[in-house]
Amino acid sequence: ITNVRENTDSKVKIYEGSKAVGHVYDEIFSSGEVKSYVNIPQIEELMPENFEKYINPINDKKLIMWDLFEDCENARKFVKKSLLAIKPELRKNYHFKFLPTGLKIQAIDYLIYYDSIAIIQGEKVTSAIVIKNKYLFENSIMMYDLMWRLL
C-alpha cells in the first residue's frame, strides 16, 4: 500500500462491558442533542439502567432527543413510559418515530451526537464503538434527517 499515513481526522475508541458502555451513554446524554436508531427490546435487556440516564437530561433541559424505533410493542410502551416521565413543558424536546413494520435495527443502539457516532452492540458482553469524524458525522446527520422527513 502506498501513501499510508497516520489519520489525524478520525478517532475510534472501543469500550467493553456494561460499566464502560454506561460511561459512553453518560457522555452521549450530556452532549445536548442526540439522534438515534434504537432496538428497545435489546437495550432494555442489556442496559436497563439507561432509562433514567436518558430521561433526566431531558427533564433538566440539557438534552434534545430524536429516536427512530423499530415498530414493536416494547418500543411503543417505551415511548408511553418516556412521555409520562418527561415534564409536560419539556416534551417538545423529545421526538420519536417508528420505522415501517418489518425493518429491524441490528445494532442495539446507533447514536449520532456532537461530532461522533456510537454503535452499541452485544449479546453476552455489551460493547461500544465510538467514531469521531466530522465528515462521517455530517453525512450521518444528513441521512438521519432525510429518513426522518420520509417517515
Side-chain angles (χ1 to χ4, degrees):
I1 299 177
T2 59
N3 295 328
V4 175
R5 67 175 176 81
E6 187 174 322
N7 186 334
T8 57
D9 297 333
S10 301
K11 291 182 182 174
V12 177
K13 293 183 179 178
I14 298 172
Y15 302 83
E16 291 187 346
S18 294
K19 187 174 182 178
V21 173
H23 290 300
V24 171
Y25 273 113
D26 291 340
E27 178 185 326
I28 292 167
F29 294 146
S30 68
S31 69
E33 185 170 12
V34 178
K35 297 184 178 194
S36 80
Y37 306 90
V38 59
N39 181 319
I40 286 297
Q42 288 185 11
I43 200 72
E44 286 181 325
E45 181 179 328
L46 290 172
M47 303 289 292
E49 67 279 3
N50 259 23
F51 186 75
E52 293 301 320
K53 287 185 179 197
Y54 174 81
I55 293 299
N56 290 341
I58 296 172
N59 278 331
D60 292 339
K61 300 180 185 178
K62 295 179 181 175
L63 179 64
I64 299 171
M65 192 72 208
W66 303 78
D67 280 325
L68 287 173
F69 296 105
E70 286 184 22
D71 193 0
C72 66
E73 184 179 340
N74 285 31
R76 291 191 176 273
K77 286 179 182 178
F78 179 86
V79 167
K80 287 179 185 177
K81 180 179 172 183
S82 297
L83 290 171
L84 289 173
I86 296 170
K87 296 174 186 173
E89 67 274 16
L90 296 174
R91 289 183 187 145
K92 66 184 183 290
N93 293 335
Y94 179 60
H95 310 274
F96 64 91
K97 288 188 178 185
F98 296 96
L99 296 172
T101 303
L103 289 180
K104 300 289 181 196
I105 298 170
Q106 297 306 312
I108 295 172
D109 212 349
Y110 184 101
L111 305 111
I112 307 164
Y113 66 101
Y114 192 55
D115 60 355
S116 301
I117 297 165
I119 303 165
I120 313 299
Q121 54 195 7
E123 290 178 18
K124 295 179 182 171
V125 176
T126 306
S127 64
I129 301 169
V130 178
I131 305 166
K132 185 173 186 169
N133 177 283
K134 175 185 174 184
Y135 303 109
L136 183 58
F137 168 78
E138 289 173 357
N139 283 328
S140 294
I141 288 290
M142 187 253 328
M143 294 300 292
Y144 188 97
D145 291 346
L146 174 63
M147 187 179 305
W148 187 271
R149 282 188 226 126
L150 294 174
L151 289 174

